[in-house]
Amino acid sequence: GARSGRRARSRAHRDSASRSRAAMHAAVDSRGDPPGRWADIDGLLLRGGSLVGSGFEPGEDVKSVLHDMVHVLVVGAGGLGCELLKDLALSGFKKIDVIDMDTIDVSNLNRQFLFTSKDVGQSKALCAARAVERRVAGVVVTPHHCRIEEKPDEWYKQFHVIVLGLDSIEARAYVNKVACSFMAFDKDGNVDPASIKPMIDGGTEGFKGHARVLLPGVTPCFECTSWLFPPQVAFPLCTLAETPRCAAHCIEYARLIQWPSEFRVKRDAEAENTETPSDSEAPAFDGDDPDHVRWVFEKALLRANAFGIPGVTLSFTQGVVKNIIPAIPSTNAIVAAACATETMKLATVCSPGMANYMMYNGTRGVYTHTVEYERDPTCVVCSSGKRIEVKQDATLGEVMDALVNAFPEEMQSPSLSHAGGHLYLRGVLESAYVGNLVLNAKALCGLGEGEDTAMVSVNDKKMKHTMRVRVVF
């Protein structure tokens, strides 16, 4: 009797759960979301307040913009990128693309939580997209397994916001240049707000990180504040060879000095034994080759023991030769949360945006600080440039003559480039561009009917830096 009673209660419980699930699936809105799915977001978007952004209008319209219209690109699907994808999906963004050229390594699994051991060797972008779509119903994440340079500039135009989760200065600079190339200026050098491609940049380094808002033409672009990123540390060879003081010195000595020296000795010995001269060079050191890394580790350990220096381990050796800074999951989570919040603000104006750089330091306790950096008015990437006027039907040769006449101290034989590519190059490639001199400059710059301003980058042997010039036809 007791057993049959338990079975009856179990059946009743299952039936009740089934009815609840059926009712939940039946009671969904037009987007397929169950009631209360975005209750937290509704608190931000369906009511006003004293802290909302300028021009914010609460209601279903702004919620529809967030869910149905805003298209976000996440660049990078590593430790920070995984957190960004998760945060954006759970914040109501339903149209997301992610681009990353890397594949998953087993060492990624301790912090890149969208991946499992079954994903090792596969595309990060593809696996991250699958994981987010599986966990957050209704979100469409489109993966792109390729280099960011492989996509044409026009491809980036389709996105309303670009969120950067990169660990490379060069990649950040590239995306920044692409986004700034979309800027359009009037005759007075004022940027057209419709041409601004917003970017949110996040970065982490151990227990430190930053999040910032990049609005080309309004806030500093990446190039304006490139000085924020210090150059990589290089050790003097004399220190490495004579007075090593830390584990990194021993490792760099093995990589930079012992590696080529050892293989040169082997090569000469082999040539002597075979009585045939050998001009083959030592194989280049590959930080991704386990045998190369282990060789450096073993040599570095011997040198460290000789000088009484502790700390040389295989994992530390890998970090030094590949310039790896340990990634801290909590730092990734904090910075990604700040980036996702700023993306939400940009998309909905539910709150004033950050102005414009936030740094985080969790080395001792928790410390954050927000700084409003200023644009560089002479920036070669985002400034409106120096202005010259030419006639509507001017040829490229006439534009170049106008440039030399307008800036005789800065240029004599300029080379010109435009967002669409090179217009004229000097040197060994000059013959390929001579034909452009007699062509209509406005057409070469891709200007259509009613467009009369082109942004041109000018280089000359007399100039130390590229000059940005606004040519008004």
Side-chain angles (χ1 to χ4, degrees), residues 28 32 35 100 112-113 118 171-172 179 202 222 250 367 412 423 434:
V28 296
D100 196 303
Q112 299 174 20
F113 65 92
K118 295 179 181 179
R172 283 189 178 94
F222 180 81
C250 299
Y367 174 78
Q412 180 177 355
L423 300 176
V434 169

Side-chain angles (χ1 to χ4, degrees), residues 115-195:
F115 310 136
T116 68
S117 56
K118 295 179 181 179
D119 298 324
V120 172
Q122 298 186 54
S123 161
K124 285 187 176 181
L126 181 61
C127 292
R130 277 200 310 245
V132 172
E133 288 185 339
R134 186 169 60 246
R135 299 183 187 195
V136 186
V139 175
V140 177
V141 184
T142 305
H144 305 273
H145 179 64
C146 62
R147 298 173 59 88
I148 54 177
E149 298 89 348
E150 293 178 23
K151 295 292 187 181
D153 291 357
E154 289 298 312
W155 180 78
Y156 291 91
K157 262 191 174 180
Q158 65 182 301
F159 303 103
H160 297 100
V161 185
I162 299 175
V163 187
L164 307 178
L166 294 163
D167 58 0
S168 163
I169 294 176
E170 292 77 13
R172 283 189 178 94
Y174 178 83
V175 178
N176 178 72
K177 288 180 180 178
V178 171
C180 290
S181 71
F182 301 143
M183 297 167 64
F185 297 89
D186 61 20
K187 293 181 179 181
D188 298 323
N190 300 312
V191 65
D192 178 4
S195 68

Side-chain angles (χ1 to χ4, degrees), residues 314-330:
L314 181 58
S315 61
F316 184 68
T317 302
Q318 290 173 321
V320 171
V321 300
K322 295 184 69 176
N323 195 32
I324 295 174
I325 297 170
I328 310 298
S330 58

Side-chain angles (χ1 to χ4, degrees), residues 429-441:
L429 298 176
E430 188 167 2
S431 60
Y433 294 90
V434 169
N436 285 356
L437 292 175
V438 297
L439 298 181
N440 183 276

Side-chain angles (χ1 to χ4, degrees), residues 350-470:
C350 65
S351 181
M354 178 197 300
N356 47 49
Y357 183 98
M358 184 277 290
M359 59 84 63
Y360 163 79
N361 191 333
T363 306
R364 294 182 178 178
V366 175
Y367 174 78
T368 64
H369 184 60
T370 303
V371 181
E372 185 172 4
Y373 286 114
E374 297 182 356
R375 292 179 61 212
D376 179 359
T378 64
C379 177
V380 298
V381 176
C382 75
S383 70
S384 59
K386 297 184 178 181
R387 186 178 188 270
I388 66 166
E389 288 188 12
V390 297
K391 60 184 182 179
Q392 281 278 337
D393 59 349
T395 64
L396 182 64
E398 291 173 328
V399 171
M400 293 174 67
D401 290 340
L403 284 168
V404 174
N405 292 331
F407 311 108
E409 299 297 323
E410 287 91 348
M411 62 185 73
Q412 180 177 355
S413 302
S415 296
L416 272 65
S417 300
H418 184 259
H422 298 299
L423 300 176
Y424 197 86
L425 293 180
R426 303 284 179 174
V428 295
L429 298 176
E430 188 167 2
S431 60
Y433 294 90
V434 169
N436 285 356
L437 292 175
V438 297
L439 298 181
N440 183 276
K442 190 174 178 180
L444 285 173
C445 293
L447 298 182
E449 190 69 28
E451 297 178 315
D452 57 8
T453 304
M455 194 62 65
V456 177
S457 296
V458 184
N459 284 288
D460 194 283
K461 290 182 178 179
K462 295 177 71 174
M463 298 190 302
K464 293 182 178 180
H465 305 286
T466 300
M467 179 187 291
R468 192 171 166 91
V469 178
R470 189 170 76 260

Side-chain angles (χ1 to χ4, degrees), residues 27-44:
V28 296
D29 60 20
S30 59
R31 300 185 185 89
D33 295 322
R37 175 66 182 85
W38 303 110
D40 293 332
I41 303 300
D42 290 346
L44 288 173

Side-chain angles (χ1 to χ4, degrees), residues 200 211-213 337-347 352-355:
I200 308 293
R212 61 177 171 174
V213 178
C339 291
T341 301
E342 293 307 314
T343 307
M344 166 76 79
K345 293 178 185 178
L346 274 175
M354 178 197 300

